[in-house]
Amino acid sequence: MLTSAPHRIQRVELRDIVKRFPGVLANDHVNFEVQAGEVHALLGENGAGKTTLMRILYGLYQPDEGQILIDSRPVTIESPADSIRHGIGMIHQHFMLVPSLSVAANVALGLRSTREPLLDLEVVKERVRQLAEAYSMLVDPDAMLWQLAVGEQQRVEILKSLYRGAALLILDEPTAVLTPQEVEEFFVTLRRMADEGHALIFISHKLHEVLSISDRVTVLRNGQVVKTLKTADTNRQELARLMVGREVLLRVKRKPVQLGPPRLVIQDLWALGDKGLPAVRGVSLEVRAGEILGIAGVSGNGQRELAQTLAGLRKATQGRVLIDGDDVTGWAPDRLIAQGLSYIPEERMEDGVIRDMTVEENMMLEDHGRPPFARGIFLNFSAIAEHCDRLIGDFEIKTPSRRTPLGNLSGGNIQKLILARSLSRTPSVLIASQPTRGVDIGSTEYIHQRLIAQREQGTATVLISEDLDEVRNLSDRIAVMYEGRIMGIVERDEATVEQLGLMMAGVPMEEAAGQTG
Amino acid sequence: MIQDLLAPAVLIGIASSGIRLATPYLYATIGETFGQLSGVLNLGVEGIMLMGAYSGFYVTFKTGNPVLGLLAAIVVGGLMGLGMAIISVTFQAEQGISGIGVYLFGLGMSDLLFQKSLGTVETVSGFQPVEIPFLSQIPVLGQIFFRHNLLVYAAFLLVPVAWFVINKTTWGLKIQAVGQNPAAADALGVSVSAVRYATVTLGGVLSGIAGASLSIGLLNVFQQNLTSGMGFIAVALVYFGGWSPVGVLLGSLLFSLVNALQNWVQVLGIPIPSDFAVMMPYVLTILALVFAVRKVTQPAALTKPFERGEG
Ligand SMILES: Nc1ncnc2c1ncn2[C@@H]1O[C@H](COP(=O)(O)OP(=O)(O)O)[C@@H](O)[C@H]1O
Ligand SMILES: [Mg+2]
């Protein structure tokens, strides 16, 4: 084969790893082991400590206690350079790539050149081509990184590790950015690597992926290993229970709701992205009272810009938006809020809340200027306190008090706060962008129920999510967005994963329907 | 009067002094380009230039040897660059503020040393023009390009050298990666600190030379605040030039030509109030920055200290 590297490592063991962060025990005496030739899944909710454990193995963090053994020999890994030398590679949750450089340059970075101190990009390109072919990962070594789609960027990340002769590959939530078809291709590549003798650690919180690709699973919860089991001997329900610590509903129930008139109408909407190029390109949609319209798509296809434009945070360059028949195009957020629009932003820590302010203050960010919370220029503290306490109770927000600084809450509870804030005024239109990203299963379940229930209040909801299961579970209709355009809208009952996946990759709806029969 | 400016001799004079005046800008901007490409904004260039100018001048004054003066400027500039690296890389201080500190230090220190050691404005015989055989005899071009001192030629040579280092060497690749995505570089075993220390120190060395190119190359004097803002213009020119050696070359030439023009306007007694003439380069700086678009080449991590494990 191309490298003898896969045989460099037979077995890697993490023993009694402890890692503390201020106020958090991220890894609590964790034992974990992976062998050559297997895909070992590390399953756990957000915040369970998966990334921390793997960053320790990769030398990005130092453990407070515990040992790492490679082929039964204890090793110290003080930096990524050490782990690379030991034959360990890591594909990070957030890609570690340099957008302004070419693929080859990204691969060559940090390596000794054959012509030191000069670069030897030609040699690198040739090797990259060979590797890409051997593992059927199509990548052009000359392409500039910023031009690549996310799926391609991920291949570059993998090639980077293979190029360095990685025998053990750590993949931190690698499928989050892929379409269903890309996930399948990706799993084929993983299998091939494992068959060749690589050891693979596959981190995920998606049960069906873990079940379909792994040989063994280790479930992590609150920094502790709950159990390690053979994938063949377990099932979805058991894994979900181990991961969350209780029985969970894997699907929410939805009551049928009588749809009302269109509340949100979008006509040929265009908007520019951060780089000044059109990101939303002629989107037309209609959402009726009581309806959830899901927008599926791989991240970076204009969903974020669409949501921001609807929320008044980004200028529409063309087209119109109507809420309840009023043309609201170009309105500022405060007017939109008064018109009945609510927005759950994708970047909740940046656009949704203020970390250093209290729960109460965050809860009132939008409504503090309106009666009964304001009297003239003064705040009505008793009305605010009562309102906040009620929402904290209603939405099951876990916080010591309404005066607690928001930064002390977990991601799931912060998201519940935003949801409470958005829904408390019974919005006519709700834009929910990635409402459960990075949120634990318990809170996700709750947020889903609330969104479903909101239909009965006559809210028209736009649900933007990269999680296809979420979109399929909640939506009445599903629109797929690709390169700023809507590829088509599929009715809930007619939508198959295959068809949606093809549409997410840019195949128009009719064609996609034809291909999947 | 105005038409005097268009006389051939005057045009050649403007072009020739434009080339000469570009020298300090070139050293300073190329040095700063290295630092900024790796993610460190050093606003202290002006202060380092002043210290370089003073030390180069003083050593030349005492020894009569401008080469020793140049060495002194290199050492002093390098030390100040190293200081900035310690402050901004190891101690992760706010770069804008610490750069101003370095500037004020250089401004005050160079003046103090000047007052204590010389007291009055002296002159030295610095680097002398070297006519390049043959080339300097070409009409017009010879006068414009090939009758300067060695520091001028070296400054222009530095442009392709810097381009080559940045684009064709492994070190250049590391510099770019560290400035664009330090976490990625770190994850591949590149030492972010080592790269930044090297670029910022190099920037200091080149700023020191930039100062010396004034005090023992162009003007052959030293006085308080000799550089009068050139270091700050250099920082702006790096943005203007889009972090590329060729870009900063164009920027440097633009400014030095305006400067040269301004000098000639005064020499010829053209009735534009001299204040306006003197203001020109600074107004141009502001305009250039307003109109220079933010480019993709801007180092994404510029001014951001790096600490492992944040991302
Ligand atoms: N650099 C850090 N500083 C402080 N706390 C951290 C840091 N990294 C992770 N944590 C905390 O450690 C816990 C585990 O996080 P992480 O390993 O990222 O979980 P996972 O990858 O399973 O979602 C979380 O509570 C998280 O907030
Ligand atoms: Mg993680």
Side-chain angles (χ1 to χ4, degrees), chain A residues 21 24 26 45-52 61, chain B residues 309:
Chain A
F21 290 115
V24 186
E45 290 219 68
N46 277 292
K50 310 180 294 290
T51 298
T52 302
Y61 294 151

Side-chain angles (χ1 to χ4, degrees), chain A residues 471-487:
Chain A
V471 174
R472 292 179 68 227
N473 278 343
L474 301 186
S475 314
D476 298 288
R477 288 182 302 146
I478 301 168
V480 178
M481 201 159 171
Y482 175 75
E483 293 192 341
R485 294 199 172 83
I486 299 293
M487 301 309 291

